[in-house]
Amino acid sequence: MFTLNRRNGKSQICITWEQRKLGELASIFGGNAWSSKEYDPSGEYLVITIANVNGEYEIDDSVGNRINSESCSEYLLSHGDILISLTGNVGRVSKMTSKKAVLNQRVGKITIAGDTDKEFIFQALRSDRFLIAMETAGRGAAQKNISNSDVLSFELALPKQEEQQLIGRTLYQIDSLITLHQRKQKRLADCSNYNMLHTQNP
């Protein structure tokens, strides 16, 4: 248990954060090894692989194979699911978008239990501390691999639920502003490239 005492005049403020393992707060579910024979360019579901989990707030859902499978219900993803890459660039964490998709092998879906604030945990897993811990735990010569137990053994400081919600909401708002700024920059860059192209080729 971590306690911070701060004095403000005559008052004393105590903030208590508990050290908890992720496995006490969440579970992790692995994806399926889909056969390439099941791939269909016009398939209903996008197959989410480690390539889609890019470490941004949401995954990159613009690329990937698709399937039409009647046996995929167990692996269906929902908007906002927390996903983590378990192979290659291990420890990258992103949320699922609203696209219809299924979970592929070596991508884990982290489900938060109880009253623990989902956004707070998500933001904690996007920290440099978590990424470094997963990279350190990585095994393999050709490419790194981490296990479910590596992820669930990660320790984090957990404040009271009200503080979790405040911190999670604040960091979400910051992420939203960053995303909005990046989109504006991309639009400006696209407009600039368009103008340059038409200037050079009237």
Side-chain angles (χ1 to χ4, degrees):
M1 181 176 292
F2 171 72
T3 303
L4 173 64
N5 298 310
R6 296 187 299 178
R7 296 188 179 274
N8 181 10
K10 295 181 180 180
S11 63
Q12 183 173 351
I13 303 172
C14 295
I15 304 174
T16 303
W17 290 35
E18 295 183 21
Q19 285 294 121
R20 304 286 293 274
K21 288 188 176 183
L22 182 61
E24 300 175 56
L25 310 169
S27 58
I28 185 168
F29 176 77
N32 187 44
W34 304 102
S35 168
S36 59
K37 295 179 180 179
E38 297 180 82
Y39 293 159
D40 180 350
S42 60
E44 184 178 4
Y45 302 103
L46 177 67
V47 180
I48 301 302
T49 70
I50 57 175
N52 300 101
V53 185
N54 53 12
E56 298 298 326
Y57 190 86
E58 290 188 324
I59 67 155
D60 178 8
D61 62 9
S62 64
V63 296
N65 294 304
R66 308 188 71 86
I67 63 169
N68 274 318
S69 177
E70 297 179 357
S71 60
C72 67
S73 59
E74 182 181 359
Y75 302 96
L76 287 177
L77 293 170
S78 300
H79 188 200
D81 281 345
I82 299 175
L83 306 178
I84 179 172
S85 59
L86 302 174
T87 291
N89 293 312
V90 296
R92 294 190 302 190
V93 177
S94 301
K95 281 188 179 181
M96 183 59 208
T97 62
S98 58
K99 283 196 174 180
K100 290 184 176 182
V102 293
L103 193 65
N104 196 52
Q105 63 178 345
R106 304 310 299 158
V107 179
K109 180 177 76 171
I110 297 174
T111 302
I112 310 303
D115 296 329
T116 305
D117 188 72
K118 181 177 180 179
E119 188 66 28
F120 176 84
I121 297 297
F122 174 66
Q123 295 290 346
L125 298 182
R126 294 187 70 212
S127 67
D128 288 342
R129 180 171 169 268
F130 176 76
L131 182 61
I132 291 171
M134 295 302 102
E135 289 176 342
T136 302
R139 296 169 291 275
Q143 58 181 356
K144 289 186 175 181
N145 291 280
I146 55 176
S147 66
N148 290 357
S149 61
D150 291 326
V151 178
L152 297 177
S153 64
F154 178 74
E155 291 190 355
L156 67 158
L158 189 72
K160 293 181 180 180
Q161 188 181 25
E162 295 80 7
E163 293 169 333
Q164 294 175 36
Q165 293 171 344
L166 176 60
I167 294 169
R169 184 165 60 248
T170 300
L171 293 176
Y172 167 74
Q173 291 170 347
I174 293 172
D175 272 330
S176 298
L177 288 173
I178 292 172
T179 300
L180 180 61
H181 181 65
Q182 289 174 336
R183 287 175 179 171
K184 287 182 177 179
Q185 283 188 317
K186 185 178 185 304
R187 283 199 294 268
L188 288 173
D190 290 343
C191 288
S192 177
N193 292 336
Y194 176 84
N195 291 333
M196 289 180 61
L197 178 63
H198 282 262
T199 300
Q200 295 171 358
N201 301 282

